[in-house]
Amino acid sequence: MRIEGENETNMTETSVKEPLVLFMPSGKRGRFPVGTPVLEAARKLGVYVESVCGGRATCGRCQIEVQEGNFAKHKIVSSLDHISEKGPKEERYEKIRGLPEGRRLSCSALILGDLVVDVPQDTVINAQVVRKAASDRVIERNAAVQLCYVEVDEPDMHKPLGDLDRLKVMLEKDWGWKDLLIAPHLIPQVQSILRKGNWGVTAAIHRDMDSSRPFIVALYPGLKNEAYGIACDIGSTTIAMHLVSLLSGRIVASSGTSNPQIRFGEDLMSRVSYVMMNPDGREAMTKAVREAVNGLIGKVCAEGEVSRHDILDMVFVANPIMHHLFLGIDPTELGQAPFALAVSGALQYWAHELDIEVNRGARLYTLPCIAGHVGADAAGATLSEGPYRQDRMMLLVDVGTNAEIVLGNRNRVVAASSPTGPAFEGAEISSGQRAAPGAIERVRIDPATLEPRFRVIGVDKWSDEDGFAEAAASVGVTGICGSAIIEVVAEMYLSGIISEDGVVDGTMAEKSPRILANGRTFSYLLHDGEQRITVTQNDIRAIQLAKSALYAGIKLLMEKQGIDHVDTIRFAGAFGSFIDPKYAMVLGLIPDCDLNEVKAVGNAAGTGALMALLNRDHRREIERTVARIEKIETALEPNFQQLFVNAMALPNKVDPFPELAKVVTLPERKVLADDGGEGGGRRRRRSRE
């Protein structure tokens, strides 16, 4: 075999005539002797083509497609005539199991001439139908688990080698595995499994352990044609999980549940306090989150019609406190300076050591944490979005109770966290609530009349459309969720109801009855119904404090990078998926940027976990990346307070927003006397600079 790109002068006449094979989508190519199986060529080039049966044409996992035509760019003319016809083994498989049109088994198909070979990323043999497409990203597969079928020699009195040892001999002979270790719980079962399978067994090999030696983690009689993995993101509010085929890469089922630790405290610091004040607090929260994970595994397995004992590998991400509590580590040190992690690197466990109810040989991997308040979830999002893989300056923000911020490009990446508090999740807001049916999620205010219109979760119509009242009767209008809180404050600013300093203008009461007096302050009446929903001066202050903490953290990272603008912004997390970038920028939640370059990327942390599950190379990639990310502690930065004060203004006291001004007419700058934070007093104006 000769890999393309080697010195042409070193080629022999024979090698020049050897067929050239190009594998897509990887783009790897090389020359191979006529008669080489396509599967062997793929393995020699490092192209991941799944095979369980060891070339016996029984598992059907190694399917490929040959592309026909003149590929001028690659200087290859590929034809079906350049691959062998189906042999007896392949014909037998097609007759019994069936082969999609155009598909071949690469273990049986031989190279006869130049080929362009497509390795389908959607190959599913005996796998369940995908119930939910959690991600449309194509992830090149190189899972830590490989299934290997072997036929073991029967015992021989003249060759007194143990059954396990003969199994290892065949795994080395057929698959090349050397120095295999075996999970201790399997040793007593080896003989019965071999005899049940009539000496044909499938070994699950895990090759991403702390030791450099691979492990046999599961053993099945006969041919086992599927194995599964779990990718899980443990958030402070919710736990999200994907059940994935390790062989095909398909997401079989996805689900989520509330984190039961909420009963110990709404936010992370209150949970740390609970641990500090209650002797059994850590154990109680660890038990609660593990039970929730086990329940969720049962749920996705039921949905995907999969046995939980077929789960052989797991990848978890979480913020630092959730990470520690899940692993049974006391998080107390994370509640006080210097916010020391018990462990920051990636970790590996036997899943049963953490009371996770899956196959006893299943392994569990956690991504590394970046810093004391920038966790493995931020590492997962960084792996998913890859600021370190590009030239442009990317800002990655996960907005939550504690916002995690990553900023950088291939030259340098910096990270920090900012204590935004729970305001964006509805807490600390007079009419705030979590996103649920009945919650207002979108708001628009007419700048002339100050009349609002809004949309409610669970209702397709806007509040000013015919039929809204009837449609909303079943869910009601119960409060304001996070996305609407951002929009209503931004709209109040754009319509002149509040000044750039966030003070409700009491003189606007002359213009609209929706401006209500509350003692020395004023409120805005958003909805007057069974549930009266207002936006108070204190609500606006809570949002200002939260957004200022986030923006100041971002500005600190920009200063560290020596830049005055970012090229692209990514909102991660469930909340980020529902934020309108325009209103986030009007509010001053994020710095000025071309709005076309501001995108929500959903649960990027979960996608990162999925990538690490399906390709062990991604584990090494994020471990190397986290090691070189620079961690900035905002509390120690002398400039943080001034940046925070500047960010209290809408959108900002000093920073320009030229890109935002292209799409939004910002109001004339208006500053109102604050009366010590109570607002609504005398007015003084100055033109916008």
Side-chain angles (χ1 to χ4, degrees), residues 356-556:
I356 304 303
E357 298 167 8
V358 288
N359 189 291
R360 186 167 175 79
R363 295 292 290 177
L364 188 151
Y365 173 88
T366 65
L367 268 66
C369 291
I370 297 175
H373 285 296
V374 188
D377 52 350
T382 301
L383 174 62
S384 171
E385 298 309 306
Y388 58 91
R389 294 191 290 260
Q390 59 181 299
D391 295 320
R392 299 181 7 162
M393 190 61 70
M394 174 187 283
L395 172 64
L396 176 61
V397 182
D398 190 340
V399 183
T401 305
N402 195 67
E404 295 172 318
I405 315 163
V406 178
L407 176 67
N409 56 19
R410 68 176 72 252
N411 298 320
R412 184 187 182 200
V413 181
V414 293
S417 65
S418 273
T420 51
F424 291 133
E425 296 179 351
E428 299 180 352
I429 304 298
S430 60
S431 297
Q433 69 166 86
R434 297 195 184 280
I440 296 173
E441 62 173 342
R442 293 278 177 259
V443 179
R444 300 291 181 268
I445 298 175
D446 187 305
T449 65
L450 306 188
E451 283 298 303
R453 60 191 189 96
F454 52 81
R455 285 191 63 171
V456 171
I457 296 175
V459 180
D460 292 334
K461 298 178 180 293
W462 283 81
S463 60
D464 61 341
E465 293 181 322
D466 291 338
F468 170 81
E470 292 77 7
S474 60
V475 296
V477 180
T478 56
I480 315 174
C481 70
S483 59
I485 290 167
I486 289 175
E487 291 190 8
V488 72
V489 175
E491 281 280 324
M492 288 171 72
Y493 170 62
L494 292 175
S495 60
I497 295 172
I498 60 175
S499 66
E500 67 161 10
D501 287 337
V503 178
V504 180
D505 186 352
T507 65
M508 300 293 273
E510 303 168 3
K511 185 176 181 179
S512 169
R514 289 190 175 270
I515 310 300
L516 307 175
N518 292 333
R520 296 171 62 192
T521 65
F522 291 86
S523 304
Y524 176 72
L525 179 61
L526 181 59
H527 174 67
D528 193 7
E530 185 175 335
Q531 186 83 18
R532 202 164 197 248
I533 299 172
T534 61
V535 181
T536 70
Q537 184 66 68
N538 287 337
D539 294 340
I540 296 166
R541 278 289 177 265
I543 293 300
Q544 284 179 282
L545 292 168
K547 74 99 173 180
S548 299
L550 176 56
Y551 191 91
I554 293 170
K555 284 293 290 184
L556 269 181

Side-chain angles (χ1 to χ4, degrees), residues 235-257:
S236 55
T237 305
T238 58
I239 303 172
M241 181 179 289
H242 305 311
L243 174 65
V244 189
S245 163
L246 294 177
L247 277 71
S248 70
R250 285 293 188 101
I251 297 173
V252 176
S254 298
S255 192
T257 188

Side-chain angles (χ1 to χ4, degrees), residues 319-379:
N319 62 56
I321 291 172
M322 292 300 97
H323 170 277
H324 278 34
L325 287 171
F326 174 64
L327 298 179
I329 301 171
D330 190 328
T332 300
E333 293 297 330
L334 291 170
Q336 56 200 0
F339 312 111
L341 289 156
V343 56
S344 55
L347 295 172
Q348 297 219 32
Y349 292 82
W350 296 103
H352 69 80
E353 293 176 323
L354 301 182
D355 303 321
I356 304 303
E357 298 167 8
V358 288
N359 189 291
R360 186 167 175 79
R363 295 292 290 177
L364 188 151
Y365 173 88
T366 65
L367 268 66
C369 291
I370 297 175
H373 285 296
V374 188
D377 52 350

Side-chain angles (χ1 to χ4, degrees), residues 6 84 187 344 403 411 416 498 532 540 601 609 623 642 655 665:
E6 293 178 355
S84 63
I187 295 174
S344 55
N411 298 320
I498 60 175
R532 202 164 197 248
I540 296 166
V601 291
E623 289 165 8
Q642 186 56 53
D655 289 349
T665 302

